[in-house]
Amino acid sequence: MRTDLHRHLDTPLAAVRNLGILAHVDAGKTTLTERILYLTGTTHKRGEVHDGTTVTDFDPQERDRGITIFAAAVSCAWDAHRINLIDTPGHVDFSDEVARSLRVLDGAVAVFDAVAGVEPQSEAVWRQADRYGVPRIAFVNKLDRAGADLDTAVESIRERLHPAPLVVQLPIGSEAGFTGVVDLPRMRSLVWPEGRDTVEEGPVPEALRDAAEGRRRQLEEAVAELHPGALEEFCAEGTLSARTLTAALRDLTRSDDGVVVLCGSAYRNRGIEPLLDAVVAYLPSPRDVPAVRGTWDGGEQERFADPAAPFAALVFKVNGTATGRLTYLRVYSGTIGKGETVWDSGTGRTERIGRILRVQADHHAPLERAVAGDIVAVVGLKSARAGSTLCAPGAPLVLEPPTVADPVVSVAVEAVGSAEAELLVSALTRLVEEDPSLVVRTDPETGQLVLSGMGELHLEVAVEKIRLAQGLDVRVGRPRVAYRETVVRGVSGLVHRHVKQDGGAGEFAHVVLDVEPLEDVPGDGDGDGGATRFAFRSTVVGGRVPQEYVRALEAGCRDALADGPLGGHPVTGVRVVLTDGATHPKDSSERAFRTAGRFALREALRACAMVLLEPVADVTVTVPDDAVGGVLGDLAARRGQVSGSVARAGVVVITATVPLVELFGYATRLRSRTRGRGVFTARPAGYAPAPSTAASGTVTR
């Protein structure tokens, strides 16, 4: 069903769907997006990833590498509904790009490979969607591939993601013979003849009738177990009507109590129409999601998706183009027109909206206004960053920004010529504005510019972007990883006395500290072992150390965590207990106790038994079965700990935990060992003890 997008620019909120396409790399997200755009009439030619002709992978690097790197927004119309769609990256190095998109979406389609099932990054993005409370439906793709099996893929969803999968389709044919599906809620067949773009609807094939009725019964029972209204009808009638089943599936999807599972082959254009129907039927509109919550002046506020309410929007992406700076917004409430003024609650600045654009990847259509529920780009904002809240000047609000992970890999970058040094600094500044997961700093010891990111590919793409966009010749040093230090055996009763008399008011602080390892207790880093996990408490009684001095002492201890005794790396996993102390009636102050805390903990850490921690990654390597031995030997040489292997149709999937520093250049090595047939994925898995020589030459602070 093709519909004209431009007739639906003023679509009611109930007919708007803001959704993302989520998956592991190579599961078929971009191909699915291309087929959606083609079937909805938004494009008139099907783009192909392997030809470099896709709409959403428009960046030169994406087309060269054949992967999605940057989240791309598009809009289309289906069945009188407007669908704002974001195609997200599937590679782990760009997971922050996925998180920023999920923060502003109301729903998502999770795509799974019918052969591989749930893969590592598809599990990671599923957990990200859990964190942001985004309802999902699942699409099992590539059913035309050899070895494809819907039931096996669904079982992997159940085992690894733990939702209740509610399968609403039965495939017609298998592998190369896959031609269509049986729609179980309506008990009809949907077939896509070879060489045609349209679907043919008909009765359930006689050969599949018994299987379809059995699957329909299983679906009814699963829904009745989860939905009280459906259970009531099921007990009374012994079955569920199509209307009741559809309504229950919608409720279960939006409450996250179940996930509707559909199937198809995006490459062969099979299964796209029922998927779009499911998006409209099951995923929520902006009116169906809870009001967005923000804070201001110490209080919490709610903003409902109401065009008449005060304006509030969240910036989730900034992109510099040849024609100006584009700022991507999700409008949560209110209405904004071009030429109007908004207030950036983070910077306290007012800015003027120059233009408002409906985004079609790298093409844009001008709009006069944007209303609650819209995802648009605006031109004219100078200071807004990803995570900034824009609101009406008379109704201030701060919305929770997307979380940004700590970078784990760093490289030194420098311009080849001294004349280009300032241009490089400017280019890096713009790069960090566009991608908050990148960090640029100057090394205080070497004076080098250090660029930090989420992985080797992430940094490679960032540097190449500077080269292509700015025409700069940039030299890159060896990648370096972010080490940490931690306590394995503490000290008790360490006494530190801070006394300073140099004329005028003096400083005095007397403290006694116990320092011990902090085991398995979530701290500042969410318990991931990588960020600074720190706990502090005081057992001093009788007012010997006033509470304001205790807080200052804790702040001083936190200051000391920046530089550990082994090599100046940040310290994590430490508990400090103040057991005793003393003050002076005139010379004690918060400043004195903060200084005492800093020096006391540094002294204590030098007395503790410390160990160096290095970042590790969970690696999944897929190799031909005749190359397994060489790959296992190479992983062992890289200090990898193999946790399992599974044989699948001529290939073996190996899972292991490997130090991140050992993965630099692994892709090239793997291709060499497997004659180009091996692939691998890696995702951060926290920190683990490192050999004493591991950080040699690869340290970053």
Side-chain angles (χ1 to χ4, degrees):
M1 180 188 302
R2 296 192 177 189
T3 53
D4 185 1
L5 170 64
H6 299 289
R7 279 182 277 175
H8 299 288
L9 292 180
D10 294 320
T11 311
L13 273 180
V16 172
R17 300 291 184 272
N18 293 317
L19 70 131
I21 307 293
L22 313 174
H24 186 90
V25 66
D26 287 336
K29 299 180 309 301
T30 300
T31 299
L32 176 60
T33 303
E34 291 297 319
R35 298 305 184 264
I36 289 174
L37 295 178
Y38 179 70
L39 282 173
T40 57
T42 308
T43 61
H44 301 287
K45 182 180 179 181
R46 289 178 290 188
E48 304 293 351
V49 173
H50 55 271
D51 292 336
T53 57
T54 57
V55 172
T56 52
D57 284 356
F58 58 85
D59 187 273
Q61 290 200 73
E62 293 178 310
R63 293 186 169 179
D64 288 345
R65 299 172 188 271
I67 62 172
T68 300
I69 297 172
F70 310 106
V74 292
S75 291
C76 58
W78 180 258
D79 194 22
H81 288 68
R82 187 174 78 244
I83 299 175
N84 297 320
L85 188 152
I86 297 180
D87 179 23
T88 65
H91 196 285
V92 65
D93 281 18
F94 309 103
S95 57
D96 258 41
E97 189 92 357
V98 181
R100 290 193 294 275
S101 299
L102 283 169
R103 174 63 181 83
V104 299
L105 294 173
D106 301 324
V109 175
V111 183
F112 302 95
D113 188 312
V115 178
V118 176
E119 297 174 272
Q121 186 59 10
S122 50
E123 184 174 357
V125 296
W126 188 275
R127 302 302 175 211
Q128 286 179 307
D130 282 340
R131 189 178 309 124
Y132 289 104
V134 177
R136 281 139 283 172
I137 58 178
F139 182 72
V140 179
N141 192 25
K142 301 187 179 183
L143 270 185
D144 58 318
R145 284 185 60 194
D149 187 275
L150 176 62
D151 291 340
T152 302
V154 170
E155 191 57 33
S156 73
I157 293 173
R158 188 192 314 275
E159 290 180 356
R160 298 190 63 178
L161 305 181
H162 309 295
L166 304 170
V167 183
V168 298
Q169 292 177 339
L170 174 68
I172 299 175
S174 61
E175 299 183 351
F178 170 70
T179 59
V181 297
V182 174
D183 175 12
L184 297 177
R186 298 178 62 179
M187 288 302 286
R188 57 174 181 163
S189 70
L190 300 171
V191 177
W192 290 267
E194 188 69 38
R196 294 176 58 183
D197 293 331
T198 55
V199 60
E200 293 183 357
E201 181 179 339
V204 177
E206 195 60 38
L208 290 175
R209 179 162 292 279
D210 289 345
E213 289 177 349
R215 293 294 182 104
R216 164 68 187 241
R217 185 69 176 182
Q218 291 176 14
L219 176 62
E220 291 177 349
E221 291 173 351
V223 169
E225 285 183 8
L226 299 169
H227 193 279
L231 177 61
E232 185 177 341
E233 180 174 315
F234 188 76
C235 291
E237 306 293 336
T239 187
L240 295 178
S241 66
R243 182 176 180 180
T244 299
L245 186 56
T246 300
L249 289 171
R250 179 173 59 248
D251 292 343
L252 293 173
T253 299
R254 296 178 183 182
S255 65
D256 203 28
D257 291 321
V259 57
V260 172
V261 181
L262 301 97
C263 60
S265 168
Y267 180 71
R268 298 192 181 278
N269 219 39
R270 295 170 184 169
I272 312 303
E273 294 95 328
L275 176 62
L276 286 168
D277 290 338
V279 165
V280 168
Y282 305 132
L283 291 179
S285 74
R287 283 201 182 279
D288 298 321
V289 297
V292 67
R293 294 177 179 271
T295 58
W296 185 253
D297 199 20
E300 189 174 78
Q301 300 183 24
E302 288 186 342
R303 295 284 172 87
F304 292 91
D306 181 359
F311 175 74
L314 185 70
V315 176
F316 68 95
K317 184 178 176 69
V318 175
N319 189 25
T321 69
T323 57
R325 188 173 185 266
L326 287 180
T327 305
Y328 293 77
L329 311 176
R330 162 64 192 268
V331 182
Y332 283 101
S333 67
T335 302
I336 191 71
K338 66 177 184 178
E340 295 186 18
T341 298
V342 297
W343 193 63
D344 185 335
S345 56
T347 63
R349 296 178 55 179
T350 56
E351 298 204 67
R352 180 179 175 274
I353 303 289
R355 289 187 293 155
I356 303 175
L357 305 172
R358 177 78 66 202
V359 182
Q360 291 295 108
D362 58 340
H363 295 84
H364 314 98
L367 296 174
E368 291 298 317
R369 60 192 175 92
V371 301
D374 269 336
I375 292 178
V376 297
V378 299
V379 179
L381 303 185
K382 297 178 181 179
S383 63
R385 304 287 184 267
S388 295
T389 300
L390 303 178
C391 55
L397 182 74
V398 177
L399 300 175
E400 180 184 357
T403 57
V404 179
D406 291 334
V408 294
V409 179
S410 301
V411 292
V413 293
E414 62 180 21
V416 172
S418 58
E420 296 180 326
E422 289 188 11
L423 294 176
L424 176 59
V425 172
S426 177
L428 288 171
T429 301
R430 285 195 296 271
L431 200 64
V432 172
E433 286 181 8
E434 297 180 13
D435 186 352
S437 60
L438 291 169
V439 175
V440 176
R441 64 178 180 83
T442 301
D443 190 297
E445 297 177 4
T446 65
Q448 289 179 306
L449 281 174
V450 177
L451 178 65
S452 304
M454 302 306 298
E456 194 174 6
L457 179 60
H458 189 204
L459 296 179
E460 185 181 320
V461 166
V463 171
E464 189 64 20
K465 188 173 184 179
I466 291 176
R467 288 173 175 154
L468 292 173
Q470 307 297 327
L472 293 176
D473 192 2
V474 181
R475 280 197 293 253
V476 179
R478 173 178 166 77
R480 301 178 294 178
V481 301
Y483 289 88
R484 298 286 186 266
E485 300 176 24
T486 193
V487 174
V488 293
R489 188 177 66 252
V491 296
S492 299
L494 184 133
V495 179
H496 182 83
R497 188 180 181 89
H498 173 67
V499 180
K500 182 179 180 183
Q501 291 289 347
D502 55 1
E507 292 184 10
F508 177 89
H510 177 88
V511 296
V512 181
L513 302 180
D514 290 349
V515 178
E516 58 193 29
L518 179 63
E519 299 289 349
D520 301 323
V521 177
D524 295 344
D526 236 4
D528 66 353
T532 301
R533 296 188 302 117
F534 173 72
F536 181 93
R537 64 188 178 93
S538 171
T539 60
V540 177
V541 295
R544 289 176 58 82
V545 181
Q547 192 60 38
E548 61 269 24
Y549 293 169
V550 172
R551 288 193 293 267
L553 179 70
E554 178 181 354
C557 290
R558 288 183 181 275
D559 294 340
L561 298 176
D563 302 287
L566 295 181
H569 315 296
V571 179
T572 185
V574 178
R575 185 196 309 277
V576 176
V577 182
L578 174 64
T579 59
D580 199 2
T583 63
H584 186 277
K586 291 184 178 180
D587 293 343
S588 290
S589 64
E590 292 183 25
R591 176 179 174 179
F593 271 84
R594 182 162 187 160
T595 303
R598 183 167 66 252
F599 286 107
L601 185 54
R602 285 179 179 172
E603 181 182 344
L605 292 175
R606 287 194 294 270
C608 291
M610 304 287 293
V611 69
L612 190 70
L613 299 176
E614 63 179 342
V616 296
D618 286 337
V619 177
T620 302
V621 190
T622 303
V623 297
D625 49 17
D626 60 357
V628 172
V631 171
L632 288 173
D634 189 42
L635 287 172
R638 295 172 185 271
R639 298 187 286 126
Q641 300 292 321
V642 175
S643 56
S645 63
V646 178
R648 293 179 185 165
V651 299
V652 176
V653 180
I654 303 167
T655 54
T657 301
V658 184
L660 189 62
V661 71
E662 301 287 356
L663 289 176
F664 296 140
Y666 182 60
T668 301
R669 182 70 170 171
L670 180 64
R671 284 194 295 267
S672 174
R673 284 190 173 275
T674 62
R675 298 179 182 178
R677 295 176 295 165
V679 295
F680 86 101
T681 60
R683 55 175 177 157
Y687 280 69
S692 58
T693 59
S696 176
T698 59
V699 173
T700 183
R701 294 170 67 181

